Every structure is written in structure tokens, then in C-alpha cells.
Amino acid sequence: MTLPLDPHLLQLYMIAVCVLVLAPGPDSLLVLTRSIADGRQAGVVATLGICVGNMVHALLAAAGISALIAASTTLFDLLRYAGGAYLAWIGLRSLWSVWTSRGAEPAPAIEAPPSARPGRVFVQALLTNLLNPKIILFQLAFVPQFIAPALGNVALQTFILGSIISVLGGLYLAGVAALSAGAARRVLSSPRVRTALDGIAGVLFLGFAVRLLLTDRKFA
């Protein structure tokens, strides 16, 4: 079956998406930290949660719901505040673990902290993605540039292009999970290194939260 996509626009889209996928953001940071802290399986589970979130965003964009959210000041602000608060919560929790570890007796080098449950990791990754209104704006401002209305079925084209982001992003994040998990044992063998990792992750998540709260609705 032939896809209703313009081949030339699709080639340009693939190149652009590959560049965008490599840009650091809360999704990649979450996969990185979960993989290092809890192992490769946790990183893969987080990747699946993010991919599902991206597929949901693609469906919402194809159905026109994303446009309604972006056009509504109230809905967009609610999503923006919820996403910012959630990222801030993740960051503050990481910083809290750094604070509580101060003055504590170092754990043995061979002892690693208990791993997070897969369901919890999946939900955390899913919410991190779904509560990010910047992805909605991306779907509305970036994806339409590669749609060919003359080919018809704009909604299907929108969904397919959005799904490509999910697939390519998932492959990249799975690679991040595999590579970072390989270094997990060495990282976790040093309590000081783990504390530093938690501190850096906390500051970065708080930074993403602030950036998200400053996002405006202009996408045209």
C-alpha cells in the first residue's frame, strides 16, 4: 500500500527529525537517569512510555484536538502548569535525595539502591511526555510543513509523520538506555558519583520545568 506522503517532503522530514531527536530534553534525560539508576530494563520501559506518549500526541494532532488545546488559553495553560509542576517535582525529588544523603554513612560499594518498579517508570515517562505542551506546538508548527494537501487525507499524513517521530525517537532513546546502563555498575559503585548525578539531574529537570512554564502559544 502506498503511503499518502510526498517522497521529497518525507526525505526532508526524516533528516529534520533525526536532528531534532538528538537534541537534549526531559525525555532523553529521564531515560538516561533511569537507565543509570535502575538498569537497562528501566531505560527501555521509560522509552516505551515516551513512545506511547508521542503516539498519543500524533493521534491528538490528527484528530484536531491538539489544535483546540493550543487555541484555548485555559487548556494550554493548565497543561503547561501541570507539565512544569511535574518536571519540577521530579527535579526536587532528585535534589531531596542529595540533601538527605548529606552526612549519611556511605553505603558499601557493591550495594546498589533498589530498582524502581517498571510500572512506575512507565507512568513517569508517559506523563513527562504527555504533559509537555511544547510537543503539541511542535506537532502544529513543524509537522504541517511536510504535509502535501494535494495528496488528500491530511489527518492520516499528520498521524504517520507524528508516528515517525515516535519510532525514530524510540530507537535513539533505546540506544541511550543501552549505553548508559552499561556504565551503571561503575557509576553506582561510588556514592559520591551517584549523589552528583542526582544533583545534576535535579537541576536540569528544574531548568526544563522553568523553560516549559515560559512557553507561549504562538505556533503559526
Side-chain angles (χ1 to χ4, degrees):
M1 184 178 71
T2 304
L3 295 177
L5 298 172
D6 182 281
H8 177 65
L9 290 177
L10 180 60
Q11 291 177 7
L12 295 176
Y13 180 76
M14 295 290 287
I15 295 173
V17 168
C18 286
V19 174
L20 291 170
V21 162
L22 296 176
D27 288 349
S28 55
L29 177 60
L30 182 64
V31 171
L32 177 64
T33 53
R34 289 272 63 85
S35 300
I36 293 177
D38 301 316
R40 182 178 292 106
Q41 180 181 358
V44 172
V45 171
T47 297
L48 290 176
I50 291 167
C51 288
V52 171
N54 280 326
M55 292 297 292
V56 171
H57 278 296
L59 281 171
L60 293 177
I65 298 176
S66 293
L68 293 177
I69 294 175
S72 169
T73 302
T74 301
L75 291 177
F76 186 84
D77 285 345
L78 283 175
L79 187 63
R80 179 163 59 97
Y81 293 144
Y86 189 68
L87 290 177
W89 177 76
I90 296 175
L92 290 173
R93 208 175 69 164
S94 295
L95 294 178
W96 176 252
S97 68
V98 174
W99 176 261
T100 55
S101 66
R102 293 180 60 186
E105 184 177 345
I110 58 173
E111 183 179 332
S115 298
R117 289 174 296 184
R120 181 177 178 181
V121 173
F122 179 86
V123 171
Q124 184 183 49
L126 179 64
L127 291 178
T128 299
N129 186 273
L130 288 180
L131 294 176
N132 189 352
K134 297 186 72 173
I135 300 179
I136 292 178
L137 297 182
F138 171 84
Q139 292 278 0
L140 297 178
F142 180 77
V143 172
Q145 299 179 49
F146 301 91
I147 291 176
L151 296 179
N153 212 331
V154 172
L156 179 59
Q157 292 187 60
T158 301
F159 176 72
I160 293 174
L161 294 176
S163 300
I164 290 174
I165 298 173
S166 180
V167 173
L168 293 182
L171 291 174
Y172 169 70
L173 293 177
V176 171
L179 293 176
S180 56
R185 185 177 299 274
R186 295 191 295 274
V187 172
L188 294 179
S189 66
S190 171
R192 291 184 178 180
V193 173
R194 178 172 176 81
T195 298
L197 175 65
D198 285 338
I200 293 172
V203 171
L204 289 176
F205 271 114
L206 286 177
F208 286 131
V210 172
R211 190 173 69 173
L212 189 58
L213 291 173
L214 295 177
T215 301
D216 59 37
R217 295 168 47 249
K218 295 180 180 179
F219 56 88

